[in-house]
């Protein structure tokens, strides 16, 4: 991916570098994205999609149309199991199962989304759409059958 390219390929899912160990150890299974990121939408995912978990080496900036720079190799292959669009206000404690240790409730998610996506925290209200994506790791046996 060059710096002129902005959209992440459909078969990749981006993760911050601080989550690399969680991916390697297969401890992260739930992520949140701001807005509606369901099937066939910009930066969306569909259940059953098999994607590369890519780790961001250098952050990009969406509003300046600067793409992130990724580590060369994907960390893992993952399969999207569920894509669920909810509102921030409808999230419950069970929605955070499988998320990273720093995203464990609505307040921590709002902070996380503001930081990562450079969003004004005051714009993240109870009626703001959030996409919750659950995935599983592809086993070596499954990789061998690709």
């Amino acid at each position: 991916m060059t710096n002129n390219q902005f959209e992440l390929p459909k078969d990749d899912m981006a993760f911050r570098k601080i989550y690399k160990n969680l991916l390697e150890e297969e401890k992260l299974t739930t992520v949140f994205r701001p807005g509606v990121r369901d099937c066939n939408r910009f930066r969306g995912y569909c259940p059953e999609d098999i994607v590369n978990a890519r780790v961001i080496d250098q952050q990009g900036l969406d509003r300046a149309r600067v793409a992130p720079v990724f580590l060369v190799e994907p960390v893992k292959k993952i399969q999207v199991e569920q894509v669920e669009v909810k509102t921030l206000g409808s999230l419950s404690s069970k929605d955070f199962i499988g998320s990273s240790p720093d995203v464990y409730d609505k307040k921590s998610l709002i902070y996380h989304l503001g930081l990562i996506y450079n969003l004004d925290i005051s714009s993240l209200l109870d009626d703001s759409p959030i996409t919750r994506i659950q995935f599983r790791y592809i086993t070596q046996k499954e990789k061998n059958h690709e």
Side-chain angles (χ1 to χ4, degrees), residues 43-100:
R43 295 187 182 165
Y45 296 95
C46 303
E48 307 298 322
D49 281 353
I50 295 177
V51 299
N52 298 305
R54 302 293 305 242
V55 174
I56 299 169
D57 191 35
Q58 295 175 12
Q59 292 292 119
L61 184 59
D62 278 3
R63 68 175 175 223
R65 300 200 53 79
V66 174
V69 176
F70 293 93
L71 297 177
V72 176
E73 294 297 321
V75 176
K76 293 279 185 174
K77 281 231 182 249
I78 57 178
Q79 182 172 26
V80 176
E81 291 193 311
Q82 183 178 34
V83 178
E84 183 176 25
V85 178
K86 301 184 94 168
T87 61
L88 267 170
S90 71
L91 293 172
S92 70
S93 58
K94 72 175 187 149
D95 291 317
F96 294 92
I97 295 171
S99 185
S100 60

Side-chain angles (χ1 to χ4, degrees), residues 12-131:
D12 285 348
M13 186 180 290
F15 294 86
R16 292 176 48 210
K17 195 185 285 188
I18 63 169
Y19 301 132
K20 186 173 188 255
N21 287 344
L22 291 175
L23 290 167
E24 289 172 339
E25 297 168 11
E26 300 185 1
K27 292 183 176 178
L28 181 63
T29 58
T30 299
V31 293
F32 298 89
R33 301 294 192 253
V36 178
R37 300 275 192 97
D38 60 1
C39 203
N40 301 314
R41 301 239 187 175
F42 178 68
R43 295 187 182 165
Y45 296 95
C46 303
E48 307 298 322
D49 281 353
I50 295 177
V51 299
N52 298 305
R54 302 293 305 242
V55 174
I56 299 169
D57 191 35
Q58 295 175 12
Q59 292 292 119
L61 184 59
D62 278 3
R63 68 175 175 223
R65 300 200 53 79
V66 174
V69 176
F70 293 93
L71 297 177
V72 176
E73 294 297 321
V75 176
K76 293 279 185 174
K77 281 231 182 249
I78 57 178
Q79 182 172 26
V80 176
E81 291 193 311
Q82 183 178 34
V83 178
E84 183 176 25
V85 178
K86 301 184 94 168
T87 61
L88 267 170
S90 71
L91 293 172
S92 70
S93 58
K94 72 175 187 149
D95 291 317
F96 294 92
I97 295 171
S99 185
S100 60
D102 59 334
V103 179
Y104 50 86
D105 64 8
K106 185 174 98 171
K107 185 176 179 181
S108 63
L109 176 61
I110 290 169
Y111 173 79
H112 173 82
L113 294 174
L115 179 69
I116 302 309
Y117 295 96
N118 199 26
L119 299 171
D120 180 354
I121 290 177
S122 66
S123 71
L124 296 169
L125 307 172
D126 275 351
D127 63 350
S128 297
I130 299 297
T131 303

